Amino acid sequence: MEEKLLQLLEQSGLFAILVSLMINTLVSIIGVLPSVFVTATNLVFFGVFNGLLISIIGESLGAVISFILYRKGINKWKRPFVLHPKLLKLKELEGSDAFWIIVSLRILPFMSSGLVTFTSAFSKVSLGTFALASTIGKIPALIFEAGAVYGFMQVNLIGKIVISILLMSIIILIWKVKK
């Protein structure tokens, strides 16, 4: 997938940044696709610093546009189905309380970004509060993600296989413990 995104950016020429931002926005709107592929592509194509900056802008823009679209759609459907306690708590909050919950949810590495945006759209939080909190929370998460992706890209094939096997083993172990 990363190779196809790289080809698309290469073909886009001067519009590569806009294309990357549009892809990030689309990933955010869909809500279930991982953005790590877009981040990896940005790091390779634009360089580490610029790629990270473009990823932060793209994910923030995507979250805001998703929030607006979800909120418009939610007016027709008022039944939330989220079960995570922090997400349920967010539904009733506004102002600085909602701000800090959104920041903390965005920083969590395994929290679904789409679910945070969707629940925020259900809540009483304003667009401005959501946009600021979401962006602030995404910055450390994306720095961590970019560092992991960049480090992974620097490892040879055998190292990548070993890391992948270790990660899969950890995921299976966690799954078995929870079960």
Side-chain angles (χ1 to χ4, degrees):
M1 181 160 193
E2 183 184 328
E3 287 182 28
K4 294 215 184 270
L5 290 176
L6 273 172
Q7 289 174 353
L8 180 62
L9 292 180
E10 287 170 356
Q11 294 169 354
S12 301
L14 296 173
F15 298 104
I17 292 174
L18 290 175
V19 169
S20 176
L21 295 176
M22 288 173 34
I23 292 169
N24 254 315
T25 301
L26 185 61
V27 167
S28 293
I29 291 169
I30 293 170
V32 293
L33 298 173
S35 64
V36 69
F37 299 108
V38 180
T39 302
T41 303
N42 286 341
L43 294 176
V44 170
F45 190 79
F46 298 108
V48 176
F49 180 77
N50 291 333
L52 177 61
L53 185 61
I54 291 166
S55 291
I56 290 169
I57 293 168
E59 288 209 21
S60 297
L61 181 65
V64 169
I65 291 171
S66 297
F67 178 87
I68 293 167
L69 292 174
Y70 293 170
R71 187 159 273 180
K72 285 183 184 287
I74 285 170
N75 287 333
K76 296 178 181 173
W77 184 62
K78 291 283 185 190
R79 226 177 124 219
F81 57 87
V82 294
L83 301 173
H84 192 284
K86 279 193 175 186
L87 291 172
L88 287 173
K89 184 177 180 181
L90 173 60
K91 185 178 177 291
E92 300 303 321
L93 297 177
E94 53 189 318
S96 67
D97 293 332
F99 175 88
W100 290 111
I101 290 286
I102 293 168
V103 168
S104 69
L105 289 169
R106 287 291 191 217
I107 290 173
L108 292 174
F110 299 109
M111 179 58 66
S112 165
S113 184
L115 197 54
V116 174
T117 303
F118 186 75
T119 306
S120 297
F122 257 111
S123 75
K124 300 173 185 174
V125 68
S126 70
L127 175 60
T129 299
F130 171 79
L132 184 61
S134 187
T135 301
I136 289 171
K138 280 183 174 289
I139 291 171
L142 275 167
I143 290 171
F144 178 76
E145 181 180 294
V149 166
Y150 183 75
F152 190 76
M153 290 185 323
Q154 302 305 311
V155 176
N156 65 20
L157 179 62
I158 293 174
K160 288 178 182 176
I161 292 169
V162 169
I163 291 170
S164 297
I165 291 170
L166 284 173
L167 286 174
M168 290 304 293
S169 299
I170 291 169
I171 290 169
I172 291 168
L173 181 64
I174 291 170
W175 179 70
K176 284 184 177 184
V177 168
K178 283 193 172 194
K179 199 172 182 185

